[in-house]
């Protein structure tokens, strides 16, 4: 589904250049659940940003579902991102001026669904995540666990083929963290390809494959049973 060929990413801050990713080769099959781990600064967020088309590599090639995206315009990348990729962040990134339902509907605003079908889809997704009774609330009226469920609802509303999660349980207590992990597992079981950055060894163990980075390189790339 995804192929990174010799991807490097260099960040420049003034005169200082940092190599965040150094010639990474990576293939992710449809339906995989990949956990990305490694110490702070090893390149995890940079890799997720490249996978999500939020950022471009300094060199190397990126293929998504067989298409080479390396030379695409910003506009084309944005359209691909909206249609095929969902994001879940540590800090939820919800809009508090909007209701829960409107936050989820944001994910559908550039799609093809007419307004009525959008509202139906939002209701379906909220129901599925146990949030139907919160549709008219604002995010700040909800607990952290509920807010992250709203963020997941928004991420999956457009039925993306690829779901990217950056420390999705980082701001949650352990009970709500577990609940979010169960939910991600379920979505993957239903066929969504999932890539998650996590510091938690316990959470990484829920993935089917672990990629451990060090200094911008892949140190270990192993299926679950070998990764520990
Ligand atoms: P991780 O997510 O594993 O903590 P990052 O991908 O955030 O690692 O960062 C990898 C390296 O790239 C670090 O050395 C970091 O300081 C550097 N870096 C990341 N983003 C930027 C940026 N926008 N500008 C300059 N350096 C950056
Ligand atoms: P759930 O198990 O459905 O996620 P929670 O245990 O998160 O529910 O929350 C239980 C109730 O307490 C909910 O009605 C929620 O809105 C409220 N609540 C919990 N934590 C907070 C919080 N930090 N701010 C506002 N309301 C909260």
């Amino acid at each position: 589904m995804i192929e990174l060929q010799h991807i490097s990413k260099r960040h420049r801050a003034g005169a200082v250049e940092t190599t965040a990713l150094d010639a990474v080769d990576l293939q992710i099959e449809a339906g995989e659940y990949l956990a990305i781990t490694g110490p702070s600064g090893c390149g995890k967020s940079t890799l997720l940003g490249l996978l999500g088309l939020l950022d471009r590599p300094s060199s190397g090639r990126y293929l998504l579902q067989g298409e080479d995206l390396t030379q695409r315009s910003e506009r084309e990348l944005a359209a691909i991102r909206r249609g095929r990729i969902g994001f879940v962040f540590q800090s939820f990134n919800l809009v508090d001026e909007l209701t829960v339902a409107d936050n989820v509907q944001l994910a559908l605003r550039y799609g093809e669904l007419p307004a009525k079908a959008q509202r139906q889809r939002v209701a379906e997704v909220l129901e599925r995540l146990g949030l139907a009774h919160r549709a008219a609330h604002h995010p700040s009226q909800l607990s952290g666990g509920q807010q992250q469920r709203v963020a997941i609802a928004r991420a999956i509303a457009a039925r993306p083929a690829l779901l990217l999660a950056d420390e999705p349980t980082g701001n949650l207590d352990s009970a709500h963290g577990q609940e979010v992990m169960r939910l991600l597992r379920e979505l993957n079981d239903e066929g969504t390809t999932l890539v998650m950055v996590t510091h938690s060894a316990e959470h990484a163990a829920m993935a089917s494959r672990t990629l451990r980075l060090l200094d911008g390189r892949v140190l270990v790339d192993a299926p679950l049973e070998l990764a520990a």
Side-chain angles (χ1 to χ4, degrees), residues 78-142:
I80 293 169
R81 201 160 60 223
R82 285 186 211 115
R84 297 195 229 168
I85 306 177
F87 296 90
V88 178
F89 303 96
Q90 177 172 359
S91 53
F92 319 141
N93 289 10
L94 300 171
V95 182
D96 201 49
E97 288 68 32
L98 300 179
T99 63
V100 162
D102 288 342
N103 267 278
V104 175
Q105 196 166 345
L106 281 180
L108 303 174
R109 90 193 120 148
Y110 297 108
E112 320 247 284
L113 285 182
K116 189 168 168 218
Q118 286 188 23
R119 285 191 296 276
Q120 264 168 9
R121 177 74 66 80
V122 169
E124 264 168 46
V125 176
L126 289 179
E127 178 71 39
R128 143 126 223 220
L129 296 198
L131 290 164
H133 62 306
R134 299 287 175 207
H137 286 70
H138 287 259
S140 62
Q141 297 174 289
L142 306 181

Side-chain angles (χ1 to χ4, degrees), residues 134 141-143 146 149 176:
R134 299 287 175 207
Q141 297 174 289
L142 306 181
S143 68
Q146 291 173 331
R149 296 213 302 275
H176 285 114

Side-chain angles (χ1 to χ4, degrees), residues 11 18 20 39-46:
H11 295 290
T18 310
S40 183
C42 69
K44 302 183 294 295
S45 299
T46 299

Side-chain angles (χ1 to χ4, degrees), residues 30-220:
E32 266 197 291
Y33 183 173
L34 178 70
I36 302 174
T37 68
S40 183
C42 69
K44 302 183 294 295
S45 299
T46 299
L47 178 55
L48 207 69
L50 292 174
L51 288 173
L53 303 175
L54 295 170
D55 205 355
R56 286 171 182 277
S58 309
S59 58
R61 294 212 313 158
Y62 180 165
L63 290 83
L64 177 64
Q65 294 171 316
E67 285 174 74
D68 187 344
L69 303 183
T70 317
Q71 306 296 335
R72 297 302 175 88
S73 68
E74 286 306 321
R75 208 186 152 137
E76 287 173 305
L77 293 181
I80 293 169
R81 201 160 60 223
R82 285 186 211 115
R84 297 195 229 168
I85 306 177
F87 296 90
V88 178
F89 303 96
Q90 177 172 359
S91 53
F92 319 141
N93 289 10
L94 300 171
V95 182
D96 201 49
E97 288 68 32
L98 300 179
T99 63
V100 162
D102 288 342
N103 267 278
V104 175
Q105 196 166 345
L106 281 180
L108 303 174
R109 90 193 120 148
Y110 297 108
E112 320 247 284
L113 285 182
K116 189 168 168 218
Q118 286 188 23
R119 285 191 296 276
Q120 264 168 9
R121 177 74 66 80
V122 169
E124 264 168 46
V125 176
L126 289 179
E127 178 71 39
R128 143 126 223 220
L129 296 198
L131 290 164
H133 62 306
R134 299 287 175 207
H137 286 70
H138 287 259
S140 62
Q141 297 174 289
L142 306 181
S143 68
Q146 291 173 331
Q147 290 186 48
Q148 192 59 301
R149 296 213 302 275
V150 175
I152 293 172
R154 184 182 56 189
I156 65 173
R159 301 188 178 155
L162 174 64
L163 187 59
L164 302 178
D166 196 350
E167 296 277 2
T169 64
N171 281 326
L172 300 179
D173 61 37
S174 88
H176 285 114
Q178 301 255 355
E179 176 191 283
V180 162
M181 292 306 298
R182 266 198 306 277
L183 198 54
L184 292 176
R185 175 83 255 177
E186 254 176 58
L187 293 169
N188 173 250
D189 286 341
E190 289 163 19
T192 305
T193 307
L194 182 54
V195 179
M196 171 181 69
V197 165
T198 181
H199 273 109
S200 157
E202 187 193 340
H203 291 170
M206 291 178 77
S208 50
R209 175 179 169 199
T210 297
L211 197 71
R212 195 171 319 147
L213 301 182
L214 186 65
D215 297 338
R217 290 168 175 265
V218 177
L219 188 67
V220 180

